[in-house]
Amino acid sequence: MINKTPIDWTLKLQTTVEMATFGSEYIAARTCMEQIIDLHQSLRYLGIPVNGESMMFRDNESVVNTSSNPTSKLSK
């Protein structure tokens, strides 16, 4: 949101099939971060300064803990 106005919304099927909720949540988190990075770059190209943090809301604590630890390994 910019100035309390939503500027990006995505709803689509994932291109992969996962056997557990963790995998699908992790892929959704990765896709969200890619969109945030793209949006930051687009705003900077338009000359709009990007200050502060971007927030991603999630509901799977194991995905947050695994993605927060750079030494963790994902395995199926």
Side-chain angles (χ1 to χ4, degrees):
M1 299 182 109
I2 295 178
N3 291 334
K4 298 181 182 179
T5 304
I7 57 168
D8 192 14
W9 178 265
T10 302
L11 176 65
K12 64 179 182 177
L13 293 174
Q14 293 179 350
T15 58
T16 60
V17 176
E18 298 293 329
M19 298 302 290
T21 305
F22 176 81
S24 60
E25 292 274 345
Y26 198 83
I27 290 171
R30 187 195 73 204
T31 303
C32 179
M33 289 308 302
E34 289 172 352
Q35 288 178 337
I36 289 173
I37 291 168
D38 181 51
L39 184 58
H40 276 215
Q41 289 178 340
S42 297
L43 291 172
R44 286 185 184 121
Y45 290 149
L46 293 171
I48 301 170
V50 179
N51 300 323
E53 300 175 340
S54 295
M55 298 175 83
M56 178 179 72
F57 297 98
R58 66 263 174 212
D59 63 352
N60 192 325
E61 188 175 347
S62 63
V63 172
V64 175
N65 293 338
T66 302
S67 61
S68 300
N69 184 1
T71 61
S72 67
K73 296 189 186 243
L74 296 176
S75 60
K76 288 190 173 189

